Amino acid sequence: MSLPHAHSRTARPMLGGEAHGHASLHDDCEGHGPIGHLDPRTRLVAAGLFALMVVSRDQIWPLVLAVGLALAAALLARLRVLPTLRRMLAMDGFMVAAVALLPFTVPGDPAFSAFGLTGSGEGLHQAALILLKANAVVLMLLALVGSMNTIALGHALARLGLPCKLVQLFLFTVRYLDLLHREYARLRTAMKARAFTMGTNRHTWQSVGYLFGMLMVRSLERSDRILAAMRLRGFDGHFPCLEEPSRFGRPDGLFALASAASVVLMMSQG
Amino acid sequence: MSLFRLEGIHFAYPSGAPVLNGAHFALAAGERVALSGANGSGKTTLFHLMVGLLRPQAGTIEAFGAPRASERDFKEVRAKAGLLFQDSDDQLFCPTVIEDVAFGPMNLGASRAEARAVAVRTLAELGLTDFEDRITHKLSGGQKRLVALATVLAMQPQVLLLDEPTNGLDHDTRARLTAILQGLPQAMMIVSHDGDFIARLATRTVALEGGRLASPL
Amino acid sequence: MAHIPDGILTLPVLLAGAAIGAGGLAIGLKRLAPERIPQVAVLSGLLFVAALVHFPVGPSSAHLILNGLIGISLGWAAFPAIFVALVLQAVLFGFGGLLVLGVNLTNLAVPAALCGLAFNAVIKARPAWGVAAAGAAGAFGVAASMLMVALSLAASGREFLVAAQLVLVTHLPVMAIEAAFTAAAAGLLLKVRPGFLGRGAVAVVVLAATLTAAGPALAHKLTLFASTEGNSVSGHAYFSGGDRAQGVVVTVTDPAGAVLHRLTTDAQGAFSFTASSRADHRISVEGDDGHAAQFTIAATELPDTLAPGAPAPDLQAMIDASLARQLRPLREQLAATHDKIWWHDVVGGLGAIIGFFGLAYGLSARKDKKS
Ligand SMILES: Nc1ncnc2c1ncn2[C@@H]1O[C@H](COP(=O)(O)OP(=O)(O)OP(=O)(O)O)[C@@H](O)[C@H]1O
Ligand SMILES: [Mg+2]
């Protein structure tokens, strides 16, 4: 385990592996599989309700059922198996520690011993609950929302009542991500060409600080240019909130029914 | 003995057609080789392969007398071969000129004071005496070019890989750069579309075409 | 970034986080001029990219939290910027979760906003201290965030206390890294784009004031415990968390309210007196700031030989005494557990205060918009 925390398993592949960074951000995920036909709002609301359900259950079986449902959703959304697994396994290092320590910190009947410490059955139980909950929510989130085009997600958030400014900020961020990431990669490559390697020293921290400072300066300048270009096109300090025609239709109704049914099923367990 | 030897290099970007297709090349000490080729023929890519910023799908790279394959091998190479990027904005990232020029020497293990001294000396050699505390980001394109060259020279490399060094330089500055490069003992490879500049500097020319390197007769 | 996944935190903690987060978001958005949206978006994207940078720390690695830098660049707008980055990370990478968004936002953005306030104040008074202040902001951002992560965990249950402590300890090196990093980045910004940092984003004052006011009040809850040994009664007064309360006045009364003894606790917060009658003894302590605690020694705990005068100890009394001696640590511990302020009380209280404040602010923002 790598402390303080490690996202490396997901973050690294992003750099090169997954079709150059987050090409996957805007690309083709939407429209694949039955989930793709649903209105983004339906998917968002369903994910939220599912999370609420899952978090409030405290028995193993309903939670196993929940993970099963999330898996089914992931299959319906045609999520790719490996990247999804990698994302699910990525938890902050200290969170892994928090869960792993539970058997030793929750008082109860001794169930096993490791490293000269006795682990309690209750602790194991609680750790299992947390793992099931965390993974069920993440999997469902990736299946229902992560599979959505980010722009569509922004619009869906707007129509669910998120403030217009926040949605505009979201959309702008999505637009900048790729630029920022590429600029970061270029500068980082150039540093490498000058024999820079990461170490545990001030020179490293300072250099990366400069790198990010420079990234900020350049992106800010770019944002100035974008703003200037917007002014040229008549921007007067107000963003029109984008309206999209509602896509809520029969598939959404069916999906809503199915979700409601599964929620009832989950509630009735245990 | 050659400083660089490339054998049968094949390379393609993950999302594209092959760029290099069995390229062979050797660079000997004291040579100044001009690398020519159309836009998009793969000159920049070749440079990046030589210092290990990209890895070939097939072929071998030998540098400074040893085969180079792993990241650790190439770290050594990068300390001995200085790459001037085609776009100076990729290369310069520190607030002030002096910090940027001192960055390389510090990566090679110099102390802050030593690195600073080397940087001052290098800048002086390039005629950039008053530039130390200038803000890199606010220099003109040509000034950035010279500072970027300084960042490379400050590492005292044995080989210089220069990707379009005269890009954006005015007539006088180009003449000065030509004189500076002529005075340097290092072996170098120069990508340039500037015939006059090449004619003054290069000892031979190789052309990159169809993913292979050829010496025009 | 520090992402707590779903399933760990309890509902009150989630609600408190959501309330604070929503309040901060409302304020941040209200202060965000539409022209600045592209700028804030850049910073938000930067947060996202920062998750890619791994610094080696000995054999392991750490990555940037970056909320110090975001805070000094954006002030209140750190709330929306961090929110957007968190949403994107949750949705695209499965970092964190859905219902914990509020808590994660609060943990990162409250320290960021505080950094912004402090930094702006420093920059205005002493422009030359900018870089140092930025370094401090970098370290503070990490420290405060991790403290809040630890609090969120601990408030969700005692069993997370160890993990909470682990969070704090493991982030000490990150603080050093982040300080150097933020100082460098801010140094560059101050030089290359003067005027970007420290353009008087105004008051996080209310938030700061609320935090500082709530802190000590909760930290000083008094607790009292006493036990008997024969006819001598001794006990301790301590503050929540276990610090002994020294020099506190202890009053002992009988059931009718007549004062039997008046004492002061010693350096260990201990006091003792000799009971002269076999009756209920009400012991109470009162701290300077109005906190009080009470404990009653029942008449039955005192030897029945007591009432008329001091008797010679008999066998029964000796057994009682020894039992009392042995039970004493246990009882003391029980009392401590029982009366200790739960961290979720603290967080819940804070959450409520700041949440109401945020709600009020949000409502006023809506009113403004209507008019
Ligand atoms: N990061 C990349 N990803 C995918 N393809 C790339 C990438 N960089 C370059 N290419 C492609 O590889 C080919 C070679 O590019 P390269 O930059 O090496 O050409 P060049 O000879 O340096 O051109 P120029 O004279 O314009 O600088 C081009 O077709 C280009 O489109
Ligand atoms: Mg090129």
Side-chain angles (χ1 to χ4, degrees):
Chain A
M1 186 182 66
S2 98
L3 289 167
H5 38 205
H7 287 320
S8 50
R9 274 163 304 182
T10 43
R12 287 260 163 70
M14 226 191 91
L15 263 175
E18 270 177 40
H20 208 266
H22 28 275
S24 54
L25 271 191
H26 317 265
D27 68 13
D28 52 357
C29 320
E30 203 195 15
H32 285 198
I35 295 270
H37 297 303
L38 297 174
D39 187 297
R41 287 175 299 173
T42 316
R43 291 152 78 174
L44 263 173
V45 172
L49 288 181
F50 179 82
L52 206 60
M53 274 304 309
V54 165
V55 168
S56 56
R57 304 305 293 169
D58 268 329
Q59 292 97 358
I60 293 279
W61 286 114
L63 290 176
V64 171
L65 188 68
V67 173
L69 283 175
L71 264 175
L75 287 178
L76 285 178
R78 312 260 156 89
L79 289 188
R80 281 176 302 160
V81 180
L82 271 178
T84 308
L85 263 183
R86 231 186 290 129
R87 282 166 195 188
M88 290 182 57
L89 288 175
M91 237 203 262
D92 277 346
F94 68 79
M95 286 308 149
V96 174
V99 174
L101 284 171
L102 276 179
F104 308 105
T105 53
V106 176
D109 304 328
F112 68 99
S113 72
F115 319 111
L117 293 166
T118 334
S120 70
E122 284 82 347
L124 274 181
H125 180 77
Q126 199 176 334
L129 288 181
I130 288 177
L131 284 178
L132 286 172
K133 286 180 187 181
N135 284 312
V137 174
V138 163
L139 193 56
M140 191 56 101
L141 195 62
L142 291 175
L144 292 184
V145 187
S147 59
M148 205 186 292
N149 173 317
T150 12
I151 307 287
L153 172 59
H155 292 154
L157 289 172
R159 284 189 300 150
L160 283 175
L162 239 70
C164 188
K165 267 195 221 167
L166 192 56
V167 173
Q168 291 296 349
L169 178 64
F170 180 90
L171 292 175
F172 264 101
T173 307
V174 168
R175 226 169 288 169
Y176 281 131
L177 272 185
D178 203 44
L179 274 172
L180 274 169
H181 184 224
R182 254 182 286 159
E183 194 130 320
Y184 165 77
R186 271 209 307 277
L187 281 172
R188 204 47 198 85
T189 306
M191 284 166 81
K192 218 159 128 187
R194 283 202 270 162
F196 176 73
T197 47
M198 290 274 209
T200 311
N201 53 51
R202 215 185 118 213
H203 172 63
T204 298
W205 307 333
Q206 186 180 21
S207 302
V208 179
Y210 283 160
L211 166 67
F212 268 76
M214 192 48 91
L215 218 52
M216 256 169 93
V217 168
R218 296 214 190 141
S219 326
L220 287 171
E221 281 175 358
R222 182 169 285 126
S223 77
D224 289 349
R225 287 197 295 274
I226 288 176
L227 196 65
M230 280 163 46
R231 286 227 166 83
L232 288 177
R233 287 191 281 157
F235 173 73
D236 62 349
H238 275 282
F239 282 103
C241 231
L242 305 149
E243 280 299 335
E244 275 207 350
S246 170
R247 285 206 302 150
F248 196 93
R250 193 169 1 185
D252 297 285
L254 286 176
F255 181 77
L257 271 180
S259 327
S262 45
V263 163
V264 170
L265 188 65
M266 238 158 72
M267 291 292 265
S268 64
Q269 292 284 309
Chain B
M1 193 204 71
S2 51
L3 294 167
F4 270 98
R5 177 179 294 282
L6 281 67
E7 306 257 5
I9 301 292
H10 287 259
F11 179 83
Y13 285 99
S15 51
V19 178
L20 293 178
N21 224 329
H24 294 268
F25 176 72
L27 178 71
E31 276 192 306
R32 291 202 286 257
V33 180
L35 179 60
S36 68
N39 290 139
S41 58
K43 304 176 294 291
T44 299
T45 306
L46 180 70
F47 277 1
H48 283 219
L49 282 162
M50 287 168 76
V51 293
L53 296 174
L54 296 170
R55 298 295 156 77
Q57 275 100 33
T60 56
I61 297 175
E62 214 183 280
F64 307 104
R68 309 288 179 171
S70 67
E71 178 67 15
R72 183 194 298 195
D73 299 339
F74 279 112
K75 269 181 195 160
E76 258 177 66
V77 176
R78 288 175 207 144
K80 294 180 184 168
L83 172 58
L84 180 75
F85 278 66
Q86 186 167 356
D87 182 353
S88 303
D89 275 326
D90 288 345
Q91 199 148 7
L92 305 174
F93 72 101
C94 292
T96 57
V97 169
I98 189 82
E99 280 171 291
D100 226 318
V101 180
F103 172 74
M106 282 181 70
N107 291 334
L108 299 182
S111 74
R112 218 159 259 271
E114 288 162 1
R116 213 188 149 78
V118 174
V120 170
R121 200 166 62 231
T122 313
L123 285 171
E125 280 163 12
L126 290 178
L128 299 171
T129 329
D130 294 330
F131 275 66
E132 282 137 33
D133 292 318
R134 293 280 291 273
I135 289 166
T136 322
H137 186 70
K138 294 186 178 163
L139 298 177
S140 77
Q143 291 167 332
K144 279 185 189 164
R145 209 81 200 109
L146 289 179
V147 171
L149 184 64
T151 68
V152 171
L153 291 179
M155 295 172 73
Q156 290 151 350
Q158 298 175 27
V159 175
L160 289 171
L161 306 175
L162 310 175
D163 204 346
E164 308 202 12
T166 53
N167 224 356
L169 297 186
D170 65 26
H171 186 80
D172 289 349
T173 318
R174 193 173 50 191
R176 203 163 90 222
L177 181 67
T178 313
I180 291 165
L181 292 179
Q182 272 170 339
L184 289 174
Q186 282 104 329
M188 50 186 94
M189 269 180 92
I190 308 157
V191 172
S192 179
H193 301 293
D194 178 345
D196 181 48
F197 179 72
I198 293 290
R200 282 165 193 273
L201 218 55
T203 57
R204 71 181 166 109
T205 301
V206 292
L208 183 50
E209 221 185 301
R212 291 161 186 272
L213 289 156
S215 310
L217 299 172
Chain C
M1 309 277 280
H3 304 88
I4 304 177
D6 267 322
I8 290 191
L9 304 180
T10 52
L11 204 61
V13 179
L14 291 178
L15 287 177
I20 303 173
L25 259 182
I27 299 169
L29 284 175
K30 183 171 184 236
R31 288 165 172 264
L32 180 60
E35 293 83 17
R36 270 184 74 213
I37 288 182
Q39 280 194 356
V40 178
V42 165
L43 275 281
S44 189
L46 212 61
L47 264 175
F48 192 92
V49 173
L52 302 174
V53 184
H54 288 253
F55 288 102
V57 179
S60 117
S61 78
H63 68 81
L64 294 167
I65 312 277
L66 217 68
N67 59 344
L69 184 59
I70 298 297
I72 64 176
S73 312
L74 294 181
W76 279 107
F79 272 92
I82 293 175
F83 177 76
V84 166
L86 284 175
V87 167
L88 282 170
Q89 285 177 327
V91 161
L92 297 174
F93 299 142
F95 291 170
L98 197 56
L99 301 181
V100 284
L101 263 177
V103 175
N104 283 337
L105 172 63
T106 301
N107 289 348
L108 287 166
V110 168
L114 287 174
C115 283
L117 167 77
F119 183 82
N120 283 326
V122 170
I123 274 277
K124 229 174 256 154
R126 298 277 153 101
W129 290 3
V131 173
F140 174 82
V142 176
S145 272
M146 291 311 131
L147 193 68
M148 291 177 69
V149 168
L151 267 168
S152 323
L153 285 176
S156 290
R158 278 191 87 92
E159 61 273 20
F160 291 116
L161 269 174
V162 182
Q165 285 160 0
L166 200 66
V167 168
L168 291 177
V169 173
T170 50
H171 277 81
L172 290 177
V174 182
M175 284 172 62
I177 295 175
E178 194 102 5
F181 169 89
T182 309
L188 188 142
L189 281 167
L190 286 169
K191 265 195 197 127
V192 180
R193 211 179 146 110
F196 174 69
L197 292 180
R199 306 149 299 188
V202 206
V204 193
V205 178
V206 190
L207 185 55
T210 319
L211 283 172
T212 38
L218 289 158
H220 278 81
K221 184 178 177 190
L222 262 176
T223 307
L224 177 65
F225 169 78
S227 64
T228 57
E229 208 178 317
N231 58 356
S232 87
V233 179
S234 56
H236 285 101
Y238 44 87
F239 294 115
S240 60
D243 285 345
R244 304 288 180 166
Q246 34 179 297
V248 180
V249 175
V250 181
T251 315
V252 185
T253 54
D254 67 9
V259 175
L260 301 172
H261 304 272
R262 203 183 284 277
L263 319 148
T264 315
T265 57
D266 67 10
Q268 268 69 52
F271 60 88
S272 66
F273 59 90
T274 310
S276 49
S277 64
R278 190 162 189 265
D280 287 0
H281 283 65
R282 293 228 175 99
I283 309 169
S284 60
V285 291
E286 200 162 319
D288 317 324
D289 40 9
H291 289 292
Q294 292 193 340
F295 194 89
T296 305
I297 297 280
T300 49
E301 290 179 60
L302 292 164
D304 49 11
T305 47
L306 195 59
D314 60 4
L315 189 63
Q316 184 61 43
M318 277 163 70
I319 290 173
D320 282 353
S322 116
L323 253 183
R325 217 180 0 257
Q326 281 164 30
L327 288 178
R328 179 191 167 120
L330 200 67
R331 279 184 55 178
E332 197 156 351
Q333 214 170 14
L334 270 176
T337 320
H338 183 76
D339 277 348
K340 189 165 181 169
I341 292 189
W342 280 95
W343 286 19
H344 52 246
D345 297 337
V346 179
V347 173
L350 271 182
I353 294 167
I354 302 174
F356 282 134
F357 160 64
L359 208 68
Y361 207 105
L363 286 175
S364 77
R366 280 185 58 176
K367 224 182 276 160
D368 284 4
K369 211 165 106 189
K370 278 202 193 110
S371 61

